[in-house]
Amino acid sequence: MKGWDGLVSSALLGTDRRPAHFEELPEHIQERLGDGGLLDAAALATVYKRAGRKPLRELEPIPAAPGEDRPLPRPVATRRLAAMLGGFQTSALGEWLRAADARGWGVPPEHLPALADYARHRAEYRPLVIAAAGRRARWLADLNPEWRYLHAAVAESNDPEYWTHGNAVQRRTWLRTLRQQDPHAAREALAEVWPTESAATRADFLGLLTDGLSLQDEDFLESALDDRSREVRRSAARLLARIPGSKYGERMTERLHSHLVPSQGVLAVDLPKRLSQSMERDGIDSQNPEGIGKRAWWFLQIVANTPLSAMELAWLQTPVEGCAPDILQAGWTEAAIREGSAEWARALLQSEASTGDRSPAELLRLLPADEWARAVDVLRKTVDVTELVGGLPVPWPESLASMILDQLAKVGSNRAWARLASIAARAVPPDVLDHPITRESTGEEDTWRRRLVETLTFRREMYEELS
Amino acid sequence: MGLWDVEQVLGLAPDAASAKAGQGLARVEKWTEAGASDRAVWGLCQGSGKQPYQTAVDLSGPAYKCSCPSRKFPCKHALGLLLLNAAGEVRPADEVDWVKTWMDQRAARADQPERKPGEVADPIAAQQRASRRADRVSSGMAELKGWLDDQVRVGLGGFDQRAYTELSRLAARMVDAQAPGVAGAVRRAAGVVGRGHGWPGELLEELSLVHLIVSAHDRLADLPPSLADTVLSRIGWSTETARVLAEGEKVRDDWLVLGRVIEPDDRLTVRRVWLRGATTGRLGLILTFAAAGRPLDPLPARPGEYVPGTLSFYPGALPMRALLTQTDPRQPAPRPAGLTARQALASYVESLAADPWNERWPLVLQDVRPAAHGEGWALVDADGDGLELLPGWDAWKLLAVSAGDPITVAGEWNRAGLRPMTCWRDDRPVIL
């Protein structure tokens, strides 16, 4: 404003040294000033300036996010979402998002910033938040660098630009998506850039080939066995071991046959005496962990990486000579997990075989879900039931969930059951949330029983609201 | 206040844990000898001790009494009892002795200050008090006037060294002179010193407005009565609630809750609730205070809802602050009509014409879209005119709701920028 700076400099230096002049001020102010002094003029000018404020111009509104919004669930459902984001029963958040997504509901957009922050350090929530954000995912990721992971949604557009010029997250998503659609093309794309990528990126991207793995990948993976990076070599060996009919499998089978011979009703084992170069190339680890000898360790790894088709289930009942049967059993456990064989898992569990470093739960989950309840009922005599069911994917099948809740209903509030209760609270499937235990009195005390009932009730209400 | 609904009761809880515990106690089997009269609800609740806790709630307050040792206020027992009552599960009964005694004591205490509006217990003593205060304020104003004139004569130039202490001392003097409003204005001026390049100009603005109060006080008798009221309230005279209710301008309407701003402080939490009449278009401000850490009274309605009732306005040239007497339950409201950025600024200018000291003004902007503006954000209307958002205000919720589409935003405007309170996408209000 005209004349204002003159007032400020008079005020700064003092009117004794620099008397104020008002001639430069706008006429309207001069008219009203009369014989007023500097402060009167300043007050008029201040209000004049404030009243004369103009709107901002030449602003560029952010382009709108393209696409449609999903309908919102009932307010009572979104209030529950807000409560979870506020710290109440937050562990059910993923379930809420999954259930809402499955039913075609959207998430009120005002909750997206809190969700995006929540998932920033919790990778398992990211796909859920990306789905919930819908058309806003990319839009918000562009505005806030901290939410860049939301870009994952974008790369699904298959634009090769993301592969050649994207950031690490975008490239990874692009490759993963392509692998799902066209495994061959994805491997080719990876092979093309392979020599120029860093060791960490090579190992990371190699892991993405797990999806859609086939014999076609064999040559590429064989060459990766000679990679400079130990991490990459390991990763390649793990992948080769999962390809049925691979040369890698043949090499392992050959090794097995030279160290294990079934004859006259016994398995005769001759532990390897040294680790050959070819064995090392195939990812056999030379360094034995504590509690197992070097040679037994090498043999265990050979068994673990030999295709199950080269071995026989009957061997589980066959006496062993030349090494502890535990070694073989641990190797078979590894092989069963690697190949996801329900048949071997069932046989190993039935024969109460040693599972080595693995938990019996990892074999249990290989069985069809409808066998879990029965298997747990048998195994619980020897294995802690909490350990068994703790490793199973959730939600549990109804039979198992009902069995566990029936059991918990019978044991009062004994503290020994607290962990099982807290696992069950999250693992019970929607159809069993109305179990009779939720209608029994839990007492005033804050016990595991009360928390279990609260969580089951909370989840039941959640599903009702989203239906 | 009559029957409380569950949500209102939960709004009273001091924290989430209390709300949860209260819900756990909202069951008939937890209580014995529970009953409700038209003014209170009470009951006995068995806790971990031998004696059950005696819990009672005065529904008019609400005020709470409970023999439990909890330092939470209200405690879970009081919340549980209110929730049970909200569910209609407490039967009407005659007040038992301990409840009756407590309620009567409260009523007796409440009766004392509740004189007839305008009536004073001891008119002569009150007049003496008032004239003593007027004298003090006048001498405070004179001191301030002298100080301001001195500063301008010798210059604010060397100010940054001594300014802060000197202004703080002056602010304290104004508190002594029973002019807390001026004290606040002086403190604000102190806060400007040395901040950024333009501080001398900012300081001159603030001091000139303090000067404007002082000179308006000099000619108080010559001012139109409503402006004189404004000057007095800026100096720090408060108008008694009873007088506002009795004599204040009354406007009856369905009041749309535009939003609320809560400013926590070390000692005092202040909440400003902005209202707009559905028929009259009048604006109103409900101020609520609570000691730090204590919960504020529940809102009369959620932002975006109507609360039917009468506003009694405080006197002044820009009647804005008011007391609300609710007449009917709150109800949903459609998305409000709003202004362009240019119209919004013009409405603020009108408020300045009535009250040149006015700092805050509620705005409803229609069809605005977010835009980047420097380090922060602005809202741009359909004409391409924009208003900046308050720097440092967390805009992510608003951005996520908009997704670049036009929305309606209600906010509190001050010179630094707009502080959005509520936004509407379609007809759904979102509290920001």
Side-chain angles (χ1 to χ4, degrees):
Chain A
M1 188 190 76
K2 254 191 337 167
W4 172 253
D5 289 344
L7 293 184
V8 174
S9 65
S10 279
L12 267 180
L13 292 169
T15 47
D16 282 353
R17 271 190 283 172
R18 179 176 296 189
H21 295 286
F22 307 129
E23 301 85 57
E24 284 183 18
L25 289 168
E27 264 173 50
H28 294 294
I29 294 180
Q30 292 189 44
E31 278 166 23
R32 281 166 184 75
L33 186 56
D35 57 354
L38 170 60
L39 283 171
D40 295 296
L44 280 166
T46 297
V47 179
Y48 186 92
K49 277 200 313 174
R50 291 184 183 179
R53 178 155 172 170
K54 292 209 172 66
L56 303 168
R57 289 297 299 179
E58 325 226 316
L59 290 168
E60 204 51 57
I62 309 162
E68 295 285 316
D69 284 333
R70 287 179 171 191
L72 296 182
R74 285 183 284 157
V76 59
T78 55
R79 273 209 288 282
R80 188 174 295 267
L81 173 67
M84 288 188 283
L85 286 170
F88 184 67
Q89 294 274 9
T90 306
S91 47
L93 191 58
E95 199 175 3
W96 191 100
L97 292 171
R98 224 171 282 123
D101 186 38
R103 287 159 180 77
W105 297 121
V107 167
E110 63 269 27
H111 295 309
L112 292 178
L115 278 172
D117 282 337
Y118 188 80
R120 196 147 71 88
H121 302 296
R122 296 173 180 86
E124 71 275 22
Y125 282 92
R126 292 182 174 187
L128 294 172
V129 172
I130 288 167
R135 68 182 177 116
R136 288 175 173 80
R138 173 188 200 162
W139 195 82
L140 287 171
D142 279 341
L143 292 179
N144 189 338
E146 291 188 348
W147 299 335
R148 208 171 324 160
Y149 72 84
L150 293 172
H151 268 305
V154 179
E156 281 167 20
S157 65
N158 251 343
D159 184 349
E161 185 80 357
Y162 288 113
W163 176 241
T164 47
H165 291 88
N167 61 33
V169 177
Q170 288 167 332
R171 297 187 69 207
R172 192 175 200 284
T173 310
W174 184 88
L175 186 60
R176 195 183 58 207
T177 313
L178 182 60
R179 179 71 178 177
Q180 281 157 4
Q181 291 158 354
D182 185 350
H184 178 69
R187 189 193 59 249
E188 295 283 295
L190 182 56
E192 197 180 321
V193 298
W194 190 251
T196 55
E197 300 290 340
S198 73
T201 309
R202 287 201 306 276
D204 182 35
F205 284 175
L206 197 59
L208 293 177
L209 298 190
T210 312
D211 246 349
L213 195 63
S214 76
L215 213 47
Q216 292 194 322
D217 300 314
E218 186 176 28
D219 290 346
F220 178 65
L221 291 172
E222 279 286 342
S223 71
L225 283 178
D226 300 316
D227 197 271
R228 294 187 302 279
S229 152
R230 178 183 156 91
E231 189 59 33
V232 173
R233 294 198 299 269
R234 286 269 167 108
S235 190
R238 271 197 299 274
L239 287 170
L240 282 167
R242 300 174 65 143
I243 302 179
S246 67
K247 292 193 202 74
Y248 177 96
E250 285 168 17
R251 294 199 292 274
M252 282 296 172
T253 307
E254 230 168 83
R255 283 177 196 126
L256 182 81
H257 287 321
S258 62
H259 294 288
L260 180 146
V261 182
S263 72
Q264 299 163 9
V266 289
L267 295 176
V269 174
D270 176 21
L271 292 178
K273 293 182 181 58
R274 55 175 207 93
L275 190 64
S276 68
Q277 253 181 4
S278 87
M279 279 160 80
E280 266 200 293
R281 180 174 180 271
D282 279 345
I284 302 282
D285 185 6
S286 67
Q287 200 53 50
N288 52 322
E290 217 170 306
I292 182 168
K294 258 197 169 61
R295 296 171 58 204
W297 171 236
W298 298 337
F299 180 62
L300 192 160
Q301 293 178 82
I302 291 172
V303 178
N305 288 299
T306 301
L308 286 171
S309 57
M311 301 187 275
E312 288 171 32
L313 277 171
W315 291 358
L316 264 70
Q317 317 298 339
T318 312
V320 181
E321 266 179 15
C323 83
D326 287 8
I327 303 292
L328 267 169
Q329 291 167 1
W332 288 326
T333 300
E334 291 292 339
I337 293 169
R338 170 173 52 77
E339 292 192 18
S341 164
E343 203 182 17
W344 276 82
R346 195 181 295 117
L348 285 161
L349 287 172
Q350 274 167 1
S351 61
E352 292 179 25
S354 159
T355 51
D357 286 344
R358 302 289 194 155
S359 154
E362 290 182 76
L363 290 175
L364 182 63
R365 63 189 298 170
L366 298 179
L367 303 182
D370 58 3
E371 287 181 33
W372 289 352
R374 205 155 24 94
V376 168
D377 208 28
V378 174
L379 285 166
R380 64 195 304 170
K381 293 180 194 91
T382 46
V383 187
D384 177 39
V385 66
T386 309
E387 191 195 330
L388 275 176
V389 299
L392 293 177
V394 298
W396 292 342
E398 287 174 31
S399 52
L400 178 65
S402 301
M403 184 180 93
I404 297 290
L405 290 184
D406 288 347
Q407 165 86 47
L408 288 172
K410 274 184 268 174
V411 295
S413 58
N414 184 334
R415 287 180 55 97
W417 296 91
R419 221 172 84 72
L420 181 61
S422 96
I423 293 169
R426 299 268 155 243
V428 170
D431 287 341
V432 186
L433 290 171
D434 201 20
H435 189 271
I437 194 173
T438 60
R439 289 187 291 277
E440 283 168 32
S441 161
T442 58
E444 168 81 341
E445 303 294 304
D446 186 21
T447 58
W448 61 257
R449 209 181 161 89
R450 185 166 165 181
R451 289 194 293 274
L452 169 68
V453 170
E454 273 173 9
T455 304
L456 293 177
T457 310
F458 183 93
R459 293 179 53 218
R460 192 188 68 220
E461 289 166 356
M462 184 176 95
Y463 280 104
E464 284 166 5
E465 288 160 3
L466 285 172
S467 63
Chain B
M1 194 112 202
L3 257 185
W4 288 64
D5 71 27
V6 172
E7 209 161 321
Q8 281 171 314
V9 174
L10 291 177
L12 299 170
D15 52 41
S18 300
K20 198 176 151 196
Q23 281 170 306
L25 290 173
R27 295 215 295 270
V28 180
E29 65 269 23
K30 301 277 178 196
W31 295 87
T32 50
E33 295 175 39
S37 64
D38 51 3
R39 56 173 188 170
V41 52
W42 63 90
L44 304 181
C45 183
Q46 187 62 55
S48 45
K50 211 187 234 170
Q51 288 289 328
Y53 297 129
Q54 287 185 336
T55 312
V57 180
D58 177 346
L59 293 171
S60 65
Y64 321 95
K65 175 188 170 70
C66 186
S67 58
C68 77
S70 168
R71 267 173 300 189
K72 297 275 180 68
F73 193 80
C75 65
K76 60 181 177 181
H77 305 100
L79 288 171
L81 192 58
L82 278 173
L83 286 169
L84 196 64
N85 192 40
E89 303 213 38
V90 182
R91 255 172 307 208
D94 287 333
E95 286 174 9
V96 292
D97 281 348
W98 61 272
V99 176
K100 189 164 167 28
T101 316
W102 178 62
M103 287 299 292
D104 288 348
Q105 276 170 1
R106 281 187 54 78
R109 243 177 293 146
D111 275 348
Q112 271 170 3
E114 205 179 307
R115 292 169 221 107
K116 280 197 195 116
E119 192 186 62
V120 184
D122 181 349
I124 299 172
Q127 213 165 13
Q128 282 171 345
R129 269 202 306 278
S131 95
R132 267 204 305 278
R133 179 170 183 194
D135 288 348
R136 269 210 211 123
V137 171
S138 293
S139 69
M141 291 296 119
E143 183 183 346
L144 188 53
K145 183 175 167 34
W147 185 85
L148 284 169
D149 290 344
D150 283 351
Q151 297 314 310
V152 172
R153 223 163 21 76
V154 303
L156 306 170
F159 212 75
D160 52 350
Q161 314 296 329
R162 59 192 158 87
Y164 192 81
T165 32
E166 197 149 327
L167 280 168
S168 300
R169 185 193 59 82
L170 197 66
R173 285 283 302 123
M174 290 305 112
V175 172
D176 289 346
Q178 296 190 310
V182 179
V186 171
R187 240 181 261 120
R188 255 203 311 286
V192 168
V193 175
R195 212 200 282 162
H197 270 318
W199 74 263
E202 291 269 320
L203 180 62
L204 182 60
E205 286 191 19
E206 296 292 339
L207 292 180
S208 75
L209 290 180
V210 174
H211 165 81
L212 194 61
I213 300 181
V214 175
S215 39
H217 181 258
D218 272 353
R219 8 184 321 247
L220 206 53
D222 306 333
L223 297 178
S226 63
L227 188 57
D229 281 330
T230 296
V231 172
L232 285 176
S233 80
R234 291 290 168 192
I235 289 174
W237 298 84
S238 51
T239 314
E240 285 161 53
T241 311
R243 209 189 116 201
V244 175
L245 287 172
E247 300 170 11
E249 182 198 3
K250 295 210 163 18
V251 180
R252 196 189 164 123
D253 207 335
D254 288 339
W255 296 97
L256 173 70
V257 180
L258 293 176
R260 51 104 178 82
V261 173
I262 297 174
E263 279 179 0
D265 199 312
D266 287 347
R267 287 173 306 162
L268 196 65
T269 307
V270 182
R271 183 181 65 197
R272 295 188 290 276
V273 177
W274 294 97
L275 304 174
R276 193 176 80 179
T279 332
T280 59
R282 283 284 296 263
L283 297 166
L285 166 66
I286 312 286
L287 276 178
T288 319
F289 305 94
R294 285 304 179 93
L296 291 151
D297 290 346
L299 283 175
R302 269 194 285 272
E305 289 180 329
Y306 284 139
V307 41
T310 302
L311 285 190
S312 310
F313 284 91
Y314 280 68
L318 180 68
M320 201 157 65
R321 187 175 173 196
L323 299 170
L324 171 70
T325 314
Q326 188 172 351
T327 51
D328 289 287
R330 61 197 167 95
Q331 42 182 277
R335 172 174 50 162
L339 306 172
T340 65
R342 211 165 270 280
Q343 289 168 330
L345 282 179
S347 77
Y348 172 62
V349 172
E350 268 176 54
S351 83
L352 274 186
D355 175 354
W357 299 280
N358 183 31
E359 292 267 329
R360 300 190 182 89
W361 190 244
L363 299 180
V364 181
L365 298 171
Q366 187 169 303
D367 289 337
V368 283
R369 291 180 293 160
H373 172 60
E375 304 266 288
W377 306 96
L379 293 173
V380 186
D381 67 14
D383 301 333
D385 290 322
L387 293 179
E388 56 266 60
L389 296 188
L390 193 65
W393 184 75
D394 182 350
W396 290 113
K397 256 192 192 184
L398 181 137
L399 289 166
V401 171
S402 155
D405 298 330
I407 52 175
T408 297
V409 177
E412 190 185 73
W413 171 252
N414 70 36
R415 275 184 301 131
L418 183 75
R419 194 260 183 233
M421 305 184 287
T422 311
C423 67
W424 287 260
R425 207 200 145 80
D426 309 323
D427 264 354
R428 197 172 66 91
V430 174
I431 302 170
L432 298 169

